[in-house]
Amino acid sequence: MILSLAVIITLGLIFNKLFKSIKLPGLLGMLILGIIVGPNMLNLISNDILTISPDLRKIALIVILLRAGLGINRSTLKKVGKTALKMSFLPCVIEGLTIAFVSKYILNISFIEAGMLGFIIAAVSPAVVVPQMLELINKGKGRENGVPTIILAASSIDDVFAITIFSTFLGLYGGSNISISGKLLSIPISILLGGGIGILIALLLIGIFKKFHLRDTEKTLIILASGMFLTSLEDIFKNRVPIASLLGVMVVGFILLDKYPKVANRISEKFNKVWVFAEILLFVLVGAQVDVKVIVHSGLLGLLVLFIGLVARSIGVYISLMGSNLNFKEKIFCIISFMPKATVQAAMGAVPLASGVASGNLILAIAVLSIIVTAPLGAVGIKYYGDKWIS
């Protein structure tokens, strides 16, 4: 395990710097590195690390979402709140349903299987999107219309809709006596619970920090542990009470910045340093999940389904932005920023296959294809057009 970590860190830093030197996002280099050293190519990562890979990726995701929360200003969020809310569900639902309808005929699978595929693919990747939005915020870009804030807020809720609706289709396939209305009702409950718990944790932390003298490093570790606790609650209660834990993690950072800005700004600097290590783990291990050979199974039809889905998502984003203050270029930038797929697809792509779904292999193949096509294109697009179009 130690040797594998040394390989991941050393090569991760090299690939990150190399891709940045040629004006490409560093995360693209780390994703490609993960594919190369992963079990499906050179197999340089030990099984011990691959076994705990989901947990390591979740910790890295917690770090980036805490950074996101610590970067969202209340006044900006108030200004873009309605737009962010529409962006959080409309593109996801439109893309998921479009893929469900078209793949039923293009791929010749049942509508329930097509629905599973649609809502695995429909989830945007916070792992790809959030770091680049934070980079724009740190550069002072997009302040006037709050473009990065819209995307940050919307991307954390987007996954709640995608995963909940996917689990509904999976339950229907298994013949479970599932209540669709109950599942749909669980979405706002999940969001409210996740946000509410995040607020409580943040207020508790502020009380502790004001009462006890702690070094900023200790405060950073306590906040990180609180995020891990929150996401563990979702795992513990997932079959009883839905909790949007990743949204809650972002809320912790947001409340800290709003109520205790002096400390929050210092903590944000600490998390920027932690992220140097966390992003290497996240993107290399996401890349390691990708099996390029599996893509051959989906072929051109898989690409066609993916393309139609992206067109539908783009329409959903544009509809969500109607009535906002964003100009045409900013709207197109939002469409590009909502393209990348990686985290949910890597985590959920194999679930239908493991659950005995007839077209499980095909669903996995298209999920992998979506990562390889959209993560690099989206990452490059965000980097290039963010610098050009966001003032």
Side-chain angles (χ1 to χ4, degrees):
M1 184 189 283
I2 292 175
L3 180 60
S4 294
L5 274 175
V7 169
I8 289 170
I9 293 167
T10 306
L11 293 181
L13 286 168
I14 292 170
F15 271 64
N16 186 16
K17 293 290 183 187
L18 178 64
F19 273 68
K20 283 182 176 177
S21 70
I22 57 174
K23 307 299 181 187
L24 289 172
L27 66 88
L28 177 56
M30 290 181 278
L31 279 170
I32 291 171
L33 171 65
I35 295 171
I36 294 169
V37 301
N40 300 302
M41 289 190 73
L42 297 181
N43 196 23
L44 299 181
I45 302 177
S46 74
N47 287 329
D48 292 332
I49 288 186
L50 292 173
T51 301
I52 62 170
S53 172
D55 291 325
L56 292 174
R57 283 184 278 130
K58 183 171 275 190
I59 291 169
L61 201 55
I62 289 168
V63 171
I64 191 60
L65 288 171
L66 283 168
R67 282 187 67 211
L70 289 164
I72 296 176
N73 182 279
R74 177 191 278 266
S75 60
T76 308
L77 187 61
K78 270 186 178 179
K79 189 164 66 174
V80 303
K82 287 181 182 177
T83 303
L85 183 62
K86 287 185 285 184
M87 280 271 285
S88 69
F89 71 93
L90 269 179
C92 169
V93 172
I94 291 173
E95 181 182 16
L97 289 176
T98 300
I99 290 176
F101 281 109
V102 300
S103 58
K104 179 181 185 298
Y105 299 101
I106 292 176
L107 302 175
N108 195 27
I109 57 179
S110 73
F111 181 70
I112 292 176
E113 291 169 294
M116 281 184 253
L117 172 64
F119 285 95
I120 285 177
I121 301 301
V124 73
S125 175
V128 178
V129 172
V130 171
Q132 304 215 69
M133 292 306 114
L134 289 174
E135 193 175 323
L136 289 175
I137 289 173
N138 290 337
K139 289 178 180 177
K141 287 178 170 280
R143 283 181 183 170
E144 186 179 346
N145 290 330
V147 175
T149 302
I150 291 172
I151 296 166
L152 280 177
S155 62
S156 69
I157 303 176
D158 175 280
D159 289 357
V160 176
F161 280 88
I163 293 169
T164 303
I165 301 174
F166 160 74
S167 64
T168 304
F169 278 106
L170 185 63
L172 289 170
Y173 183 88
S176 304
N177 187 17
I178 193 166
S179 166
I180 296 176
S181 59
K183 274 286 184 183
L184 293 177
L185 182 62
S186 75
I187 294 173
I189 293 172
S190 168
I191 292 169
L192 288 171
L193 278 175
I197 295 171
I199 291 170
L200 289 175
I201 289 175
L203 293 176
L204 177 63
L205 290 174
I206 290 168
I208 292 170
F209 295 160
K210 285 183 176 179
K211 187 167 185 180
F212 301 99
H213 176 70
L214 297 167
R215 293 167 55 199
D216 285 342
T217 303
E218 292 171 323
K219 290 172 185 168
T220 303
L221 290 173
I222 290 169
I223 294 168
L224 180 57
S226 301
M228 294 178 192
F229 171 74
L230 209 166
T231 55
S232 298
L233 277 181
E234 180 177 15
D235 295 333
I236 293 167
F237 294 105
K238 65 182 177 183
N239 294 324
R240 301 175 212 166
V241 182
I243 301 171
S245 62
L246 295 181
L247 173 65
V249 169
M250 192 184 286
V251 168
V252 170
F254 171 73
I255 296 296
L256 281 169
L257 178 64
D258 188 55
K259 301 293 183 185
Y260 207 8
K262 183 173 73 172
V263 169
N265 287 322
R266 297 202 308 265
I267 297 295
S268 181
E269 289 300 316
K270 294 286 184 183
F271 273 113
N272 289 344
K273 294 172 183 174
V274 174
W275 176 242
V276 174
F277 174 62
E279 74 167 335
I280 295 172
L281 277 183
L282 177 61
F283 294 117
V284 173
L285 291 176
V286 166
Q289 298 291 308
V290 174
D291 186 352
V292 179
K293 297 173 191 170
V294 177
I295 294 171
V296 178
H297 181 55
S298 65
L300 292 175
L301 292 180
L303 273 174
L304 177 61
V305 167
L306 191 57
F307 174 74
I308 293 170
L310 288 174
V311 170
R313 170 168 280 266
S314 302
I315 293 168
V317 172
Y318 203 85
I319 291 170
S320 302
L321 296 173
M322 285 180 176
S324 69
N325 294 325
L326 274 62
N327 61 40
F328 181 73
K329 286 183 177 179
E330 288 172 330
K331 289 176 180 176
I332 299 300
F333 176 75
C334 288
I335 289 172
I336 294 168
S337 299
F338 250 44
M339 276 179 54
K341 300 164 190 307
T343 322
V344 172
Q345 290 72 25
M348 308 292 289
V351 171
L353 180 61
S355 303
V357 175
S359 58
N361 263 322
L362 182 62
I363 292 172
L364 174 60
I366 297 176
V368 170
L369 182 66
S370 73
I371 297 172
I372 289 182
V373 172
T374 65
L377 284 177
V380 171
I382 293 169
K383 173 74 176 170
Y384 181 76
Y385 291 107
D387 288 337
K388 282 192 72 172
W389 289 351
I390 305 302
S391 59

